[in-house]
Amino acid sequence: MSATLENLLRDARTDLVFSRIEKDPTVIDEVIKLVDSEIRSIRFNSIYVLGEIGKKASEKGVLKIANYLNDNDWSIRREAARSLGKIGPLAGSVINELTKLTKDPELSVKGAAIIAIGKIGVANAEVLKSLRAALQDDNEEIRAQAAESLGMLGSDAFEAISDLTSALHDPHWEVRTNAARAISQIGKETVKAIPALINALGDDDWRVRFRVMETLAQIGEPAIPHLLKILKNKN
């Protein structure tokens, strides 16, 4: 006799759950229902499975997961945020609830929410306010994740360019690198960041210099006059 879906989720046999979903998509609805299980492992693994199947989780799955963004268990909150990020744009309807987790006291939850926001790709006023605030966080990993997420939002995050330009002077190399990458991802309208990028070519960390050079190349022709000037640099 084969194990029940509930037992498979309890025991983290998600490989077998995915196999059942592949054979019978209606199993997804059963997984969605089991998110409400009182057993933590079943709840956690149900949320995980829905994230892994992406948009197949449907709006119904998104709304169910969103109910657990405020769970008392920090690991459930983190998994809910991660899964919504994996589902992507379909989770845009719950972006405001997700954004609240950027202030979560648990660092890993905060980071998961920040990255998920970038993957979902909705850049409303509250999202941008939260990510710009996260660029000032005391933790360098959170600042780096905020820069990365702003880059994923593309041109919709244009108003954060000044914050990202300031982040090019962050004491941590990963923050500076992600800020430079984000500036290039936001688009061709980022020409006002060129002077700061030129200055960042003198960064002590080669990874930052490399990313800045790539960013200037992606900005393209508007960067040429500035690059010509630094050809006269003694270094």
Side-chain angles (χ1 to χ4, degrees):
M1 183 176 179
S2 60
T4 65
L5 182 65
E6 194 168 2
N7 286 340
L8 291 176
L9 289 166
R10 183 197 63 199
D11 299 335
R13 293 304 310 274
T14 54
D15 55 331
L16 295 179
V17 176
F18 293 134
S19 179
R20 290 191 182 186
I21 289 174
E22 190 174 344
K23 294 176 181 176
D24 180 9
T26 63
V27 172
I28 296 173
D29 287 331
E30 295 180 53
V31 175
I32 292 173
K33 291 177 182 177
L34 287 170
V35 171
D36 289 329
S37 173
E38 293 182 0
I39 300 174
R40 181 211 170 270
S41 60
I42 294 176
R43 188 162 70 251
F44 182 96
N45 289 315
S46 295
I47 292 171
Y48 168 77
V49 166
L50 292 175
E52 289 300 304
I53 63 174
K55 62 182 181 181
K56 290 181 182 179
S58 74
E59 181 70 13
K60 184 178 178 181
V62 166
L63 295 176
K64 179 66 71 175
I65 293 171
N67 289 335
Y68 290 88
L69 290 171
N70 296 313
D71 198 271
N72 290 331
D73 185 329
W74 67 265
S75 66
I76 295 291
R77 298 198 303 275
R78 183 183 63 187
E79 197 59 34
R82 284 176 174 172
S83 287
L84 290 172
K86 292 174 185 176
I87 291 171
L90 184 64
S93 60
V94 298
I95 195 68
N96 288 338
E97 289 89 336
L98 178 62
T99 300
K100 294 174 184 177
L101 288 189
T102 61
K103 298 178 182 179
D104 196 276
E106 171 60 41
L107 201 63
S108 65
V109 175
K110 184 189 295 188
I114 288 171
I115 292 300
I117 288 170
K119 291 180 177 179
I120 293 170
V122 174
N124 63 27
E126 192 60 34
V127 162
L128 293 177
K129 179 182 177 181
S130 297
L131 292 181
R132 293 173 76 177
L135 272 178
Q136 308 299 321
D137 196 271
D138 291 337
N139 184 275
E140 65 268 15
E141 186 176 354
I142 294 298
R143 297 198 301 275
Q145 289 168 329
E148 181 180 353
S149 194
L150 283 165
M152 286 190 277
L153 294 178
S155 59
D156 289 339
F158 179 73
E159 68 179 67
I161 283 294
S162 59
D163 304 84
L164 290 166
T165 301
S166 296
L168 291 173
H169 303 290
D170 193 276
H172 196 269
W173 71 267
E174 189 173 5
V175 179
R176 301 195 301 273
T177 299
N178 285 0
R181 182 189 295 114
I183 288 170
S184 66
Q185 290 173 315
I186 288 174
K188 62 182 180 181
E189 297 300 323
T190 58
V191 293
K192 71 176 186 179
I194 291 176
L197 289 168
I198 293 294
N199 288 334
L201 282 173
D203 195 277
D204 291 336
D205 194 295
W206 69 268
R207 290 164 293 198
V208 177
R209 297 195 300 273
F210 179 77
R211 178 55 61 186
V212 168
M213 286 188 287
E214 279 195 334
T215 300
L216 287 166
Q218 289 169 355
I219 290 175
E221 189 173 345
I224 292 176
H226 300 270
L227 290 169
L228 287 174
K229 288 180 181 179
I230 63 171
L231 286 176
K232 298 178 182 179
N233 192 293
K234 292 181 180 180
N235 188 333

